[in-house]
Amino acid sequence: MKKVLLAAAVASFGLSAAQAAPTLYGKLNVSLNQVANKDYKGTDETQLNSNASRIGVKGEEKLTDNVAAIYQAEWAISTDGSGSDGDLSARNRFLGLKFKDIGTLKAGQYDSYFKNAAGKYQDIFNDDTNLDITKTMYGEERLKNVIGFETDKKLIIPGLQFNIMAQAGENNSSAYSTKKRDSLNGISTSLSYENKDYGVATAIAGNFAIAGAYNALGLKDIESDAYRLTGSFDLSKIGIEGLVLGGLFQHAKPSNAPSAADLTAAKLDARVASLKEQAWIIQATYNMANTPWTVKGQYQSAKTKWTGDDRTLDQYGVGVDYNFNKQARFYGVLAQQKRDWQKDDDKKTVLGLGMEYNF
């Protein structure tokens, strides 16, 4: 009976036996959080957060012996009903061609390669509504109107991959840029290497004229040049079972910025001409042997400065996971962010319990 129903469903979509059906996937991540001083003005709040929950379809269809079509369309799901995510808002989506043993060409809207250079051993609070690194540092953008190419991980040497994407000029530029965006202007690129036998993963990434946010100053859509270095090492390869160390360092500054005089004439903040941000992360993840428990800790800091003003935004925290299997986990987090430029109410504390399920 199940086979009959499946055949009917396939036929209803007009799919032949030779066509590969798309894969439906998703992630639901819901947490209950107590946030002290959530707005840095003394207000406390109990939150139910959706934490970047999502649903999508993806697939790969063979066109010739050496070429396949690939696609993905993903939407945010507001599992808490409202607030932390826009329900059914666009996330990663693209259409492309995969060339056997060479690489993949993609066009659409998806995460920058600069962003993807930070993996699970750098951004351990990834997707958390309050604690994701997008809340503290530049570079966590999902880019619209991009064309990208990703080499096959075996094309150059095993484990080495080069990625590059270009952003079309139809994406509006910032008021702080003097360069007209009428062609493929913004570039995001990365070079990554992973060797599981040695427990090493590392990447170097660069953004060129990619708009992003400087959180400490409340600035958004500032076209910037930046570089990011990331790495992790699995210490089980040297006899320390279960422990992985990771880190990130990056530097960012505006690209094509007008002079201070031009900014003043345009009634914009002239200090943007001197803007710079330097950020880093160190973290440790410990998987307890023969148990479903994982403990992790992280410290990160972003120092942003411009003429007459230096600001540092710090975040430190710990997390505990109970992994039922590869799909489901319970977790707890305790973390604090601190603004060094505020005299009062300069710390925000987050305590939370949650569950994540992948399908």
Side-chain angles (χ1 to χ4, degrees):
M1 184 64 182
K2 291 182 179 179
K3 292 182 179 179
V4 173
L5 293 174
L6 178 60
V10 170
S12 70
F13 283 100
L15 297 176
S16 71
Q19 291 177 306
T23 298
L24 176 68
Y25 71 94
K27 178 169 73 172
L28 300 179
N29 184 340
V30 182
S31 64
L32 181 65
N33 299 92
Q34 183 62 38
V35 184
N37 192 27
K38 75 176 185 69
D39 54 3
Y40 292 95
K41 295 179 181 179
T43 303
D44 297 344
E45 186 173 77
T46 301
Q47 302 174 347
L48 186 68
N49 289 324
S50 183
N51 302 308
S53 294
R54 68 203 68 167
I55 190 170
V57 291
K58 60 183 178 180
E60 181 176 324
E61 181 68 36
K62 184 176 179 180
L63 302 178
T64 71
D65 288 341
N66 296 308
V67 181
I70 64 167
Y71 57 90
Q72 179 180 356
E74 185 178 279
W75 295 265
I77 295 179
S78 179
T79 49
D80 58 348
S82 64
S84 58
D85 296 289
D87 211 10
L88 296 181
S89 58
R91 287 179 55 87
N92 293 321
R93 62 262 318 274
F94 60 80
L95 179 64
L97 293 171
K98 184 176 181 179
F99 302 94
K100 184 178 179 181
D101 300 327
I102 297 175
T104 302
L105 181 68
K106 304 193 301 190
Q109 169 186 292
Y110 54 99
D111 291 341
S112 74
Y113 296 130
F114 187 94
K115 176 182 178 180
N116 284 340
K120 67 177 182 178
Y121 293 119
Q122 286 85 39
D123 187 8
I124 66 171
F125 298 120
N126 184 42
D127 290 339
D128 189 283
T129 297
N130 293 288
L131 305 174
D132 189 293
I133 63 173
T134 190
K135 303 296 184 181
T136 58
M137 61 186 67
Y138 166 88
E140 296 297 293
E141 280 70 46
R142 179 176 300 116
L143 303 181
K144 298 179 179 180
N145 308 311
V146 292
I147 299 173
F149 184 76
E150 306 164 5
T151 66
D152 187 277
K153 289 186 177 181
K154 296 181 181 179
L155 177 64
I156 307 170
I157 61 173
L160 186 67
Q161 184 176 42
F162 175 70
N163 309 301
I164 186 168
M165 63 166 58
Q167 187 173 43
E170 64 183 286
N171 191 62
N172 294 330
S173 60
S174 165
Y176 289 99
S177 174
T178 58
K179 187 175 181 180
K180 186 178 180 180
R181 296 177 65 87
D182 55 4
S183 59
L184 295 176
N185 297 118
I187 300 291
S188 184
T189 185
S190 69
L191 182 67
S192 62
Y193 176 71
E194 183 177 12
N195 188 317
K196 293 183 179 180
D197 292 335
Y198 291 97
V200 173
T202 186
I204 180 170
N207 270 357
F208 306 93
I210 295 295
Y214 291 81
N215 293 278
L217 299 172
L219 297 174
K220 298 181 179 180
D221 299 324
I222 304 296
E223 290 181 17
S224 300
D225 295 339
Y227 64 85
R228 171 178 282 185
L229 303 172
T230 69
S232 64
F233 180 53
D234 182 354
L235 275 71
S236 66
K237 304 303 178 181
I238 59 172
I240 307 176
E241 293 297 327
L243 182 61
V244 180
L245 302 180
L248 176 152
F249 175 82
Q250 69 178 48
H251 180 83
K253 65 178 182 179
S255 53
N256 308 306
S259 66
D262 290 338
L263 288 167
T264 300
K267 297 183 180 180
L268 296 171
D269 199 320
R271 293 176 293 178
V272 169
S274 63
L275 178 61
K276 293 181 181 179
E277 182 179 275
Q278 190 164 286
W280 55 274
I281 295 172
I282 55 172
Q283 77 86 38
T285 297
Y286 179 60
N287 299 296
M288 297 183 184
N290 303 314
T291 77
W293 293 97
T294 299
V295 180
K296 46 197 176 183
Q298 181 190 80
Y299 176 67
Q300 64 190 58
S301 180
K303 184 174 183 178
T304 309
K305 60 182 179 180
W306 59 6
T307 302
D309 191 6
D310 292 0
R311 298 186 176 189
T312 299
L313 183 57
D314 292 322
Q315 178 177 296
Y316 43 93
V318 294
V320 178
D321 294 348
Y322 184 90
N323 301 284
F324 285 94
N325 50 41
K326 291 183 178 180
Q327 291 178 286
R329 71 180 176 109
F330 281 141
Y331 64 88
V333 297
L334 175 60
Q336 188 172 81
Q337 294 174 0
K338 181 181 179 181
R339 295 177 170 182
D340 78 336
W341 64 94
Q342 290 190 201
K343 292 183 178 180
D344 300 313
D345 298 318
D346 64 335
K347 299 180 182 68
K348 177 174 77 172
T349 303
V350 179
L351 174 64
L353 295 172
M355 179 179 178
E356 176 182 292
Y357 185 80
N358 295 271
F359 60 91

